[in-house]
Amino acid sequence: MRILVAEDDRSLREVLERGLREAGYVVDVVADGEAATTMLKDHEYEVAILDWRMPKRSGVEALSLVRKLGVTTPILILTARDAAPDRIEGLNAGADDYLVKPFDFGELLARLQALQRRPALRFNEEIRCGDLEFDSATRELRAAGRDIDLTSTERQIIELLLRRSPAAVSRRTIANQVWGDHADVVGSNTIEVHIARIRSKIAGCDAKIETIRGFGYRVIAS
């Protein structure tokens, strides 16, 4: 499980990095909001932690920017600001959760695990890759102009892949985002069966689902 931690306080950053590694996460750390924005745009994370106050760009500014770019990574904001207007501002910018300093590390871990079980974010927009189009408002998929009949699970998988395209999405992320609380019992074979069904349904369009050996899948236009 890969996580991004953006925190400008060195001592807290080191505590978070050490504790999260001990909890089983692969941790990337940055010390400013500009670097956090770049990392969230360029890499796939299970979840991210952003401090509100950081140099170069605040956590909330970075959050708002990456949400506009379509980044759906679950993001938790850390801050010493606990007034209701501050919480509202953070949530309106696209935060999935909000934790006030000082905090108990066990509570942080519980919140991160809860975020990983949530379904992918959805926005009212059309997502395209080649002539493959997904309308997130109507939940309909079209391939080369024809409507595609999907199950609920297939619909969630293709939406996740399209939102992350051309980046690859890990099998673990697919399991967490699509199956939620049941992710731990979902094997790679189960995911592959659903991917195979989606591939057969979108055959003939100029977008395809590629398998990234040992990792997951991605949608690209051929």
Side-chain angles (χ1 to χ4, degrees), residues 160-184:
L160 178 58
L161 293 177
L162 284 169
R163 286 198 181 281
R164 299 288 181 87
S165 178
V169 182
S170 70
R171 291 183 181 87
R172 176 47 50 190
T173 296
I174 293 172
N176 284 334
Q177 298 282 7
V178 177
W179 279 271
D181 291 340
H182 304 290
D184 289 342

Side-chain angles (χ1 to χ4, degrees), residues 184-197:
D184 289 342
V185 298
V186 175
S188 59
N189 289 342
T190 299
I191 297 174
E192 179 59 39
V193 167
H194 288 285
I195 292 290
R197 290 174 180 166

Side-chain angles (χ1 to χ4, degrees), residues 13-65:
R13 186 170 67 246
E14 291 176 349
V15 168
L16 290 172
E17 181 179 8
R18 182 171 61 254
L20 290 166
R21 289 190 190 281
E22 291 175 353
Y25 288 92
V26 175
V27 187
D28 290 341
V29 294
V30 295
D32 64 75
E34 189 174 288
T37 303
T38 299
M39 295 295 282
L40 285 166
K41 287 192 301 181
D42 294 346
H43 301 280
E44 179 187 347
Y45 293 99
E46 301 284 349
V47 67
I49 299 171
L50 302 185
D51 184 45
W52 185 304
R53 288 191 175 183
M54 290 188 289
K56 298 185 179 179
R57 183 177 290 148
S58 74
V60 170
E61 290 171 341
L63 170 64
S64 180
L65 179 57

